[in-house]
Amino acid sequence: MYFDNAATTQKPQQVIDALNNYYTRQNSNIHRGVHYLSQLATNAYEESREAVRQFINAKHTHEIIFTRGTTESINLVASSFSKKFLHEGNTVVISAMEHHSNIVPWQVLCEEKGARLRVAPITDTGELDVQAFQRMLTGRTKLVAVTYVSNALGSVNPVKELIGMAHARGVPVLVDGAQAVPHLAIDVLELGCDFFVFSGHKVFGPTGIGVLYGRAELLEEMPPYQTGGDMILSVRFDKTIFNSLPHKFEAGTPDIAGAIGLGAAIDYLNHVGMDRIAAHEAELLQYGTEVLHSIDGVRILGNAAHKASVLSFVMDAAHPHDIGQMLDGEGIAIRAGHHCAQPLMERFDVPATARASLAFYNTREELDALGKALERVHEVFG
Ligand SMILES: Cc1ncc(COP(=O)(O)O)c(C=O)c1O
């Protein structure tokens, strides 16, 4: 039984077939060849970009940049945006529930630039303190970077509202969508965000591929993140002219197979339907919450009114690692640890939690089995 979907998801056969098909029938480098295979690979790669655009409802295909994943997308923005727009005395606002990959890049950057990182607090139920967030937006704020869904608590942030507040002060917003894309239909135009980032492997696609969506007007103004092949229009020893979007931000040979696999994952999700996925997961979340509440000594962390299907919990009797190990012995995969959110663990005064993160393929029967296994944990350690 697999309940570690927030770490990475299982892959549908269609995704595995797409990877296999690329390597057996289409393998070639893209954008540089006039030959048949190169055109086949280029078309497949670019079709995936268009599939991503439609999936998140971006306005232009060239606003979709392929990266290695959420982490690289955030680092790209941190590095490139800041070169142009972040100066000494400025602030970057994040929240207390961010994943390390949406903390450390900003922290390092602020240190380098003499800027200040401001952290919007969260409540005891695991919800962002929206008023405190708003108070942190000042004339000095240059960027907001906030997660849509917390990987450790499941809280769904009111990102549209946050974006509205930031935009009222002329501040652009990056949304970390790593945990949102597997669960919610995404519409970047409706949200109004300036950047939106996610990872392929958390959305039933391959590892090694991810997405940065950026508004074209901003991306146009930002310098390249990496330099080299493919991101250039022309190179002379005295002057290089950079390529247009999206290629300006895709230096070198990309993960062609990964992009094609991600396209297959998106086709699959479109077929299943994000609305159906959200409805099924809402039911699972409610049921799983009841199951956990019925077990003595279990405390759920993250009780936001609006939650995705993440069940983070601690037990009086057992350390999260003991829980994880005992469940593993019964063939149940959960995650135990700080979930790359150490400041959040500190906020709740726990060293770690046990986390069951659900995907659309999980079932109530599996949650029953989880409940029974946790009762045994209680008996053994209690
Ligand atoms: C909210 C959030 N942001 C960022 C990341 C980093 O994703 P990746 O390791 O795929 O770059 C994760 C991964 O768990 C996450 O949950």
Side-chain angles (χ1 to χ4, degrees):
M1 259 161 277
Y2 189 76
F3 291 124
D4 196 16
N5 295 288
T8 199
T9 51
Q10 299 300 327
K11 316 306 171 201
Q13 191 59 46
Q14 286 86 335
V15 171
I16 297 163
D17 289 347
L19 295 175
N20 195 352
N21 184 54
Y22 167 71
Y23 281 122
T24 43
R25 296 202 180 82
Q26 301 171 320
N27 181 52
S28 180
N29 212 331
I30 54 169
H31 295 151
R32 299 170 203 168
V34 289
H35 63 78
Y36 174 73
L37 277 180
S38 178
Q39 285 184 2
L40 216 58
T42 304
N43 289 346
Y45 181 80
E46 292 301 332
E47 275 165 20
S48 286
R49 197 192 303 279
E50 171 59 17
V52 172
R53 183 198 71 74
Q54 286 180 23
F55 189 59
I56 64 171
N57 196 33
K59 198 164 170 190
H60 305 293
T61 315
H62 60 260
E63 295 178 313
I64 306 298
I65 315 288
F66 284 124
T67 64
R68 278 199 303 123
T70 305
T71 303
E72 189 174 56
S73 297
I74 294 172
N75 275 277
L76 188 162
V77 176
S79 164
S80 170
F81 180 87
S82 69
K83 272 190 192 134
K84 181 100 185 200
F85 297 107
L86 192 75
H87 306 290
E88 194 177 342
N90 291 156
T91 65
V92 173
V93 176
I94 61 170
S95 87
M97 68 173 88
E98 301 306 319
H99 186 279
H100 293 164
S101 63
N102 202 29
I103 300 173
V104 187
W106 306 115
Q107 195 174 43
V108 170
L109 185 69
C110 285
E111 269 168 28
E112 273 170 22
K113 289 271 182 171
R116 188 170 159 220
L117 186 64
R118 302 209 64 192
V119 183
I122 58 171
T123 66
D124 290 343
T125 54
E127 285 165 317
L128 187 72
D129 182 339
V130 174
Q131 277 158 14
F133 168 85
Q134 191 170 26
R135 283 196 297 273
M136 286 184 178
L137 301 169
T138 69
R140 291 169 177 267
T141 311
K142 287 294 168 210
L143 191 78
V144 167
V146 70
T147 195
Y148 199 157
V149 175
S150 157
N151 65 312
L153 302 175
S155 321
V156 179
N157 282 322
V159 283
K160 191 172 174 193
E161 192 186 340
L162 306 179
I163 291 163
M165 288 172 174
H167 283 181
R169 286 201 157 263
V171 179
V173 180
L174 176 143
V175 175
D176 176 351
Q179 298 294 340
V181 182
H183 305 293
L184 310 169
I186 304 296
D187 186 332
V188 292
L189 288 183
E190 151 89 6
L191 290 177
C193 55
D194 302 277
F195 302 104
F196 188 95
V197 300
F198 68 97
S199 299
H201 71 98
K202 291 187 197 288
V203 61
F204 316 99
T207 52
I209 188 78
V211 169
L212 162 65
Y213 155 78
R215 273 199 308 109
E217 300 77 36
L218 272 172
L219 291 176
E220 294 283 7
E221 288 204 47
M222 288 160 48
Y225 173 51
Q226 294 182 333
T227 51
D230 239 29
M231 54 73 67
I232 54 89
L233 214 53
S234 74
V235 178
R236 286 195 338 231
F237 283 122
D238 59 345
K239 173 117 188 112
T240 289
I241 299 173
F242 301 137
N243 209 338
S244 54
L245 293 175
H247 312 294
K248 181 173 100 175
F249 289 108
E250 291 182 3
T253 301
D255 185 352
I256 304 165
I260 292 170
L262 175 57
I266 288 174
D267 287 349
Y268 181 88
L269 286 173
N270 285 335
H271 185 70
V272 178
M274 290 310 296
D275 291 346
R276 274 173 69 203
I277 287 174
H280 175 65
E281 289 181 351
E283 201 193 308
L284 284 182
L285 176 65
Q286 196 189 343
Y287 188 65
T289 306
E290 285 164 19
V291 167
L292 289 191
H293 278 150
S294 71
I295 298 158
D296 277 349
V298 167
R299 181 164 63 94
I300 296 178
L301 273 84
N303 295 289
H306 194 188
K307 256 187 88 169
S309 51
V310 174
L311 292 161
S312 215
F313 60 96
V314 289
M315 289 179 90
D316 290 342
H319 189 278
H321 287 111
D322 293 328
I323 303 171
Q325 226 156 34
M326 202 168 148
L327 294 190
D328 182 49
E330 306 207 15
I332 300 176
I334 63 157
R335 186 151 290 250
H338 53 60
H339 316 297
C340 293
Q342 282 183 334
L344 185 65
M345 299 294 113
E346 222 172 282
R347 163 69 179 78
F348 283 99
D349 206 17
V350 293
T353 74
R355 180 185 72 185
S357 52
L358 316 178
F360 68 88
Y361 40 60
N362 288 121
T363 63
R364 284 167 79 102
E365 291 71 30
E366 289 177 327
L367 289 168
D368 286 334
L370 174 67
K372 289 207 174 70
L374 288 174
E375 273 166 17
R376 283 190 286 278
V377 173
H378 179 69
E379 279 161 28
V380 170
F381 289 94

